[in-house]
Amino acid sequence: MTALLVLVSTHGAAWAQEILIEDYPDVIDARVSATPERARLIIDLTGATEFAIVSLDAPQRIAVDVKAFDVKILAPADVAGRGLVSSFTVELSEKGRARTTLTLSSPAQVQQAYVLKAVADQPARLVVDLIPDTPEHFAQKVAADLSASIANRGQAPGAMPTDPGALGNSAISRPLVVIDPGHGGIDNGASAPNGVHEKNITLAFAVELQKVLIATGRFDVALTREDDTYLTLDQRVDLARQNKADLFISLHADTFQQPEIRGASVYTRDENATDVLDKVLADGENRYDMVAGFAVPRATPQVMDILVDLMRREMRKNSFQAAESIVRQLEPSVPLRKFPVRQADFFVLQAPDVPSVLVELGFLSNASDIANLQKSEWRDRTVNALARGIADYFDSIQKDVVASQ
Ligand SMILES: [Zn+2]
């Protein structure tokens, strides 16, 4: 379902020059972060491209090839952190192909790999996540890549790109979850009396949630921002829509006038917000964009035919189902607001074609919530509950599809 996954097929003409090499994107940055449990490679590009991944031995490496015209970085920075990957290089290894070679400190395998298209000032990206592998399985992968490459290209993969093989098949059917950490950059969001900003809390939760969801092996997971960056609400929605996300989940921890109001809640969009307090909350959220100096251009009214209406209804139903699944899993773990599944007119939930929910993790106007939101164990608990809820949601829509056949 995730159309953003652009995988190379060596059987077809994927590497043949259907497009002029001059039109291939440039590699403009590459960075690697690593821990003993996982590593992530991010390659920034001037446009989306195709890629292939091979495992190589002596020394143990994973090479990531992308179709590219040029490599416009002098030397990549060192690996951030210590773990699976000890060093890496990026080079234009032949005309039209840039190779990033990750030297492993222990055997590793690709957990997920996907291309994100450019959105606003965010460049296109290839993201490759690695997790540990057994020496036996790694050796098998090296052998398989070698024979596939010789069969397809008549050359060893050290010299030529090859098929990502099993990765392609398993990755392509995974749903894409886009997590949106609320606020960021000049927009702090809400602030607690102790000076803690909502933008930092939402980012910490989002990064953790991504990690937990990826570890299930069921999802591809992207973040709208990975650092303290300002994004308009439109940009957040666009990222989910352009990548055809299967679920969009925006994380917040706002303030309320009544300090006694506390607990988590999950919102879906309704232009006619049912609760006056909810309306106030949603208006405040939408206003952050204005405050930050960016007017929110309301979507131009399109011709609303019956199909669009049906699609909206379907998305609304799925959004509600997602909210219910998440709340069901949050309930045993964390304090919830009264009537925790709520509707409000949040602009960030406006995508007509992506089921979208907004999670208020708690309130920065409530002392207990403030304390919780800053505890890593509370964050773990919440994030694990959110992940279970998301998995339940996908299970439930799967069942709906089966039932309607
Ligand atoms: Zn917020």
Side-chain angles (χ1 to χ4, degrees):
M1 290 187 81
T2 54
L4 78 173
L5 285 157
V6 187
L7 294 163
V8 175
S9 154
T10 49
H11 310 295
W15 282 88
Q17 290 160 24
E18 300 145 327
I19 310 168
L20 290 175
I21 287 178
E22 288 70 27
D23 294 332
Y24 289 172
D26 291 332
V27 172
I28 50 176
D29 194 20
R31 50 204 177 275
V32 175
S33 57
T35 68
E37 292 81 37
R38 58 178 50 252
R40 169 169 288 173
L41 163 69
I42 297 176
I43 299 176
D44 287 346
L45 299 141
T46 53
T49 192
E50 294 174 336
F51 66 93
I53 301 174
V54 288
S55 303
L56 303 166
D57 224 337
Q60 292 180 331
R61 287 156 294 154
I62 287 181
V64 180
D65 288 326
V66 296
K67 279 185 174 180
F69 176 64
D70 203 358
V71 175
K72 295 202 163 157
I73 41 176
L74 295 174
D78 289 338
V79 174
R82 268 166 179 272
L84 279 185
V85 175
S86 57
S87 65
F88 74 109
T89 57
V90 187
E91 60 181 349
L92 198 66
S93 51
E94 65 173 28
K95 211 163 183 263
R97 179 165 69 99
R99 167 163 284 197
T100 302
T101 305
L102 306 167
T103 302
L104 306 175
S105 52
S106 54
Q109 58 181 308
V110 175
Q111 185 185 35
Q112 66 165 357
Y114 55 92
V115 172
L116 289 173
K117 292 177 194 163
V119 173
D121 56 352
Q122 304 271 296
R125 279 181 182 158
L126 169 63
V127 181
V128 181
D129 284 329
L130 304 182
I131 52 171
D133 200 358
T134 61
E136 297 74 26
H137 186 260
F138 184 82
Q140 283 169 18
K141 190 79 181 62
V142 170
D145 284 348
L146 179 64
S147 58
S149 183
I150 289 171
N152 291 324
R153 307 272 312 206
Q155 295 187 53
M160 281 295 178
T162 186
D163 192 3
L167 170 71
N169 300 330
S170 61
I172 211 142
S173 61
R174 280 200 284 244
L176 174 69
V177 179
V178 171
I179 306 170
D180 172 46
H183 313 280
I186 52 169
D187 170 15
N188 290 331
S191 295
N194 66 0
V196 169
H197 297 315
E198 180 184 358
K199 66 173 182 180
N200 297 325
I201 289 174
T202 58
L203 183 61
F205 274 77
V207 168
E208 190 76 28
L209 179 57
Q210 182 188 36
K211 221 181 280 176
V212 172
L213 284 176
I214 287 173
T216 66
R218 290 186 57 182
F219 306 105
D220 290 328
V221 188
L223 301 180
T224 54
R225 65 179 178 98
E226 304 204 349
D227 49 27
D228 189 17
T229 308
Y230 176 77
L231 291 171
T232 64
L233 297 176
D234 269 330
Q235 288 170 335
R236 297 168 196 266
V237 177
D238 284 351
L239 188 129
R241 296 193 62 204
Q242 287 180 15
N243 289 296
K244 300 197 176 4
D246 296 287
L247 181 66
F248 176 82
I249 172 166
S250 189
L251 301 180
H252 288 263
D254 289 287
T255 53
F256 232 48
Q257 290 97 328
Q258 296 98 316
E260 69 276 10
I261 299 280
R262 67 165 305 199
S265 48
V266 184
Y267 284 83
T268 59
R269 186 171 194 234
D270 187 340
E271 293 85 345
N272 314 304
T274 45
D275 185 321
V276 177
L277 292 179
D278 290 338
K279 181 103 180 76
V280 170
L281 194 63
D283 283 349
E285 203 59 54
N286 295 342
R287 217 177 301 124
Y288 281 117
D289 252 21
M290 302 291 197
V291 170
F294 292 77
V296 178
R298 291 276 163 185
T300 50
Q302 304 289 328
V303 179
M304 299 291 271
D305 61 21
I306 247 168
L307 285 175
V308 172
D309 194 47
L310 280 175
M311 181 176 66
R312 274 188 195 281
R313 253 186 272 177
E314 179 76 8
M315 290 308 127
R316 200 164 287 188
K317 193 187 110 216
N318 284 0
S319 301
F320 187 74
Q321 213 162 324
E324 283 203 310
S325 296
I326 290 169
V327 160
R328 202 174 307 128
Q329 291 298 334
L330 282 173
E331 195 268 326
S333 304
V334 302
L336 295 178
R337 270 179 85 186
K338 217 187 250 183
F339 310 112
V341 178
R342 290 171 172 260
Q343 278 76 46
D345 189 14
F346 285 110
F347 187 82
V348 79
L349 302 181
Q350 59 141 1
D353 45 3
V354 181
S356 305
V357 298
L358 184 147
V359 178
E360 288 284 0
L361 299 160
F363 289 98
L364 286 179
S365 42
N366 178 275
S368 310
D369 277 4
I370 293 169
N372 280 343
L373 288 164
Q374 294 176 87
K375 273 186 216 128
S376 65
E377 56 166 5
W378 192 83
R379 182 170 66 225
D380 288 348
R381 206 151 61 151
T382 309
V383 160
N384 280 301
L386 289 173
R388 285 195 298 274
I390 290 165
D392 285 355
Y393 161 68
F394 281 100
D395 287 344
S396 73
I397 56 170
Q398 206 72 36
K399 272 181 212 132
D400 286 357
V401 170
V402 172
S404 67
Q405 277 170 354

